[in-house]
Amino acid sequence: MEYRTEHDALGEMRVPADKLWGAQTQRSLLNFPIGGARERMPEEILRAFALLKKAAARANRALLPEKMTEEKLRYTEEACDRILAGELAEHFPLVVWQTGSGTQTNMNVNEVIARCANLAAGAPLLHPNDDVNLSQSSNDTFPSAMHIAAVLLLEEKLLPTLEGLISTLKRLEAENADAVKCGRTHLQDATPLSFGQEISGWRSSLETDRELIRRSLGPLYSLALGGTAVGTGLNAPKGFGEAAAKELAALTGHPFVTAENKFHALTSRDELVFAHGALKALAGDLMKIANDVRWLASGPRLGLGEISIPENEPGSSIMPGKVNPTQCEAVTMVAVQVFGNDAAIGFAASQGNFELNVFLPVIIDNFLRSGRLLGDVIASFEARCVSGIKAKREKMDFNLHASLMLVTALSPRIGYENAAKVAQKAHREDLTLREACLGLGFLTGEEFDGLFHPEQMI
């Protein structure tokens, strides 16, 4: 392998000749051999940094034109656009497990943009610190990139896929409005409801989660950019934070603003904790819905068997013909992972000391993983399971009329205790409710038939 020599404040470093990064990236690559390629800084953060650097350069052009010339801006924007297009992915090798402020990733981006621009210009036009990092610090850029990445993931991936699942549930709800079935509480038989009503509970839960996620976006629009090292804005021109946020809003179409208090913005991660709480709520509801679906589809002969779901692949290497609710299992595993991510985020966010939290990479890595997994699993669950749910109405009707809790319809006429006696006698002696009620002498057959209409109990 051929190398070139780069230097930073600590001296010279040998860097692979075909890579765009510089000395600081190389030092981090050597000093943090943790986890390997699968633990690299998320792509969403690198894209967020490209947007941030582009916006910062534009703000600097307006506020510090003697330093950020039109030529420097043009080459900076071209390099950022190449990052956004995915052309330079191989030049971002650093892992999450680095300095807790994300400084090395900020410098990785600075170095790649500078060298990319310099090669294009054919001259040493940009310096990673003096030009690409102008008016900035890792301490305000990395938290800002975290918010940008989180907003883009939630608004452009997770919420649209969640909307798709909600839409499918609305369709199923309408199609099954007249399918009456046994309700269940405590995993025991309960009074009737329609399958459409049951689905409406799933749909409403997800709509609530959607609203919680939307509410969490507001605080994420606030950016630390402009606070520089400790929140004072040292070495940044007046109005830089506002100008950079305005440029980011224009670039992304999302209403980013500068944080009102930069000291808070650098040391507290409560906005991401709050937003991930909404993701945890969504994961909890998805866990419940997936479990309901697999319980209702259990069988095919010896379970509840009240619905059918798509049969996507063989379920056993030893039992021929077995098919399992695999999409439901994927949903529940993702939910468990999100719960674990939430714990990591909460612990990490509590570790802001003085003017900086130094658990930033692990916070955003877990956050983005949750959002990414939820978006992917919701799309898969909707397409490969929920959209194909079919009510098995004959089985629903059979189970409904076998339920002892239909005796609740008799309570207003014969009283709670007598109705309980009817249910207990029917259960002990394997009788129908009608047979038990008539046997106890509480009602005549005509009276029972006049009261007993399960379809009217919903």
Side-chain angles (χ1 to χ4, degrees):
M1 179 182 292
E2 295 185 1
Y3 292 87
R4 70 177 190 276
T5 300
E6 293 280 350
H7 71 275
D8 59 14
L10 293 182
E12 293 185 343
M13 288 292 297
R14 289 206 319 157
V15 176
D18 62 337
K19 303 305 180 186
L20 295 176
W21 66 73
Q24 292 197 48
T25 301
Q26 189 67 28
R27 288 189 194 279
S28 180
L29 193 57
L30 296 175
N31 288 332
F32 298 97
I34 304 170
R38 63 174 294 176
E39 299 291 329
R40 284 182 180 170
M41 191 63 65
E43 178 187 353
E44 295 93 339
I45 279 289
L46 300 174
R47 291 179 57 81
F49 259 110
L51 290 165
L52 183 152
K53 297 296 178 179
K54 189 173 182 177
R58 290 182 177 181
N60 280 320
R61 174 61 186 153
L63 298 171
L64 298 171
E66 71 283 1
K67 292 188 175 181
M68 180 56 65
T69 65
E70 189 63 39
E71 183 184 23
K72 287 181 177 181
L73 174 62
R74 177 164 57 87
Y75 281 109
T76 298
E77 289 190 326
E78 288 177 0
C80 290
D81 288 340
R82 291 189 65 190
I83 295 172
L84 292 169
E87 296 176 16
L88 306 181
E90 66 177 289
H91 303 286
F92 297 99
L94 302 187
V95 294
V96 169
W97 316 106
Q98 54 172 276
T99 178
S101 61
T103 299
Q104 277 98 32
T105 286
N106 179 44
M107 286 308 305
N108 185 188
V109 175
N110 291 337
E111 289 176 341
V112 168
I113 291 173
R115 182 157 180 82
C116 184
N118 292 342
L119 288 173
L125 183 66
L126 296 181
H127 186 279
N129 298 83
D130 296 336
D131 297 302
V132 187
N133 204 58
L134 181 62
S135 307
Q136 305 153 59
S137 163
S138 298
N139 294 355
D140 66 350
T141 58
F142 201 93
S144 297
M146 291 167 72
H147 280 206
I148 296 165
V151 166
L152 296 181
L153 181 63
L154 296 181
E155 293 216 50
E156 297 179 7
K157 178 171 183 175
L158 180 57
L159 285 173
T161 57
L162 180 56
E163 199 66 55
L165 179 55
I166 290 170
S167 178
T168 295
L169 289 174
K170 286 180 179 178
R171 172 181 62 79
L172 290 172
E173 182 181 342
E175 291 174 358
N176 292 281
D178 60 345
V180 183
K181 64 183 292 293
C182 180
R184 296 177 177 87
T185 59
H186 304 270
L187 294 182
Q188 304 296 308
D189 304 343
T191 55
L193 78 167
S194 74
F195 187 36
Q197 289 172 323
E198 190 165 45
I199 294 171
S200 79
W202 301 343
R203 184 256 309 156
S204 184
S205 294
L206 296 181
E207 288 175 337
T208 299
D209 296 324
R210 179 183 62 190
E211 179 60 24
L212 294 175
I213 294 170
R214 286 175 176 169
R215 290 182 188 180
S216 77
L217 285 167
L220 291 175
Y221 295 135
S222 291
L223 302 179
L225 198 59
T228 64
V230 297
T232 62
L234 180 68
N235 289 352
K238 182 176 175 59
F240 174 78
E242 291 80 0
K246 185 177 180 180
E247 293 291 350
L248 273 164
L251 285 169
T252 64
H254 301 288
F256 291 110
V257 295
T258 193
E260 181 178 345
N261 188 304
K262 301 299 193 298
F263 306 103
H264 161 82
L266 266 62
T267 193
S268 175
R269 302 274 60 86
D270 51 10
E271 298 92 346
L272 285 163
V273 171
F274 180 73
H276 198 273
L279 299 189
K280 182 172 70 170
L282 172 60
D285 282 329
L286 288 170
M287 173 79 83
K288 186 259 193 246
I289 293 167
N291 279 333
D292 282 357
V293 168
R294 61 178 171 181
W295 273 107
L296 291 171
S298 62
R301 292 189 174 180
L302 304 182
L304 296 180
E306 292 186 347
I307 66 172
S308 64
I309 58 177
E311 297 181 345
N312 297 321
E313 63 273 317
S316 173
S317 61
I318 188 173
M319 294 174 279
K322 195 174 193 299
V323 179
N324 297 327
T326 51
Q327 290 294 316
C328 298
E329 291 165 7
V331 170
T332 56
M333 285 192 290
V334 165
V336 167
Q337 183 65 58
V338 172
F339 299 153
N341 293 347
D342 191 74
I345 289 170
F347 282 122
S350 72
Q351 299 303 303
N353 301 126
F354 302 113
E355 279 64 61
L356 188 66
N357 179 293
V358 291
F359 286 73
L360 303 184
V362 73
I363 290 174
I364 195 59
D365 184 56
N366 279 278
F367 187 99
L368 294 174
R369 188 179 189 198
S370 289
R372 196 183 310 120
L373 285 173
L374 286 168
D376 288 347
V377 85
I378 287 170
S380 184
F381 187 47
E382 187 279 327
R384 297 174 179 84
C385 181
V386 178
S387 63
I389 288 176
K390 304 291 184 185
K392 297 171 72 172
R393 296 189 177 219
E394 289 186 4
K395 186 61 181 292
M396 285 182 177
D397 189 68
F398 176 83
N399 288 346
L400 173 67
H401 285 84
S403 171
L404 298 178
M405 290 305 99
L406 296 179
V407 75
T408 306
L410 308 180
S411 293
R413 177 70 176 272
I414 66 176
Y416 181 94
E417 292 191 11
N418 284 339
K421 291 177 182 177
V422 171
Q424 290 161 0
K425 180 178 176 66
H427 181 55
R428 285 195 306 268
E429 300 178 22
D430 196 22
L431 303 173
T432 66
L433 290 174
R434 190 177 193 279
E435 291 169 339
C437 189
L438 269 60
L440 290 169
F442 293 146
L443 295 172
T444 65
E446 184 177 354
E447 290 171 331
F448 182 94
D449 293 340
L451 293 171
F452 196 73
H453 297 287
E455 68 281 357
Q456 297 178 9
M457 297 174 69
I458 66 171

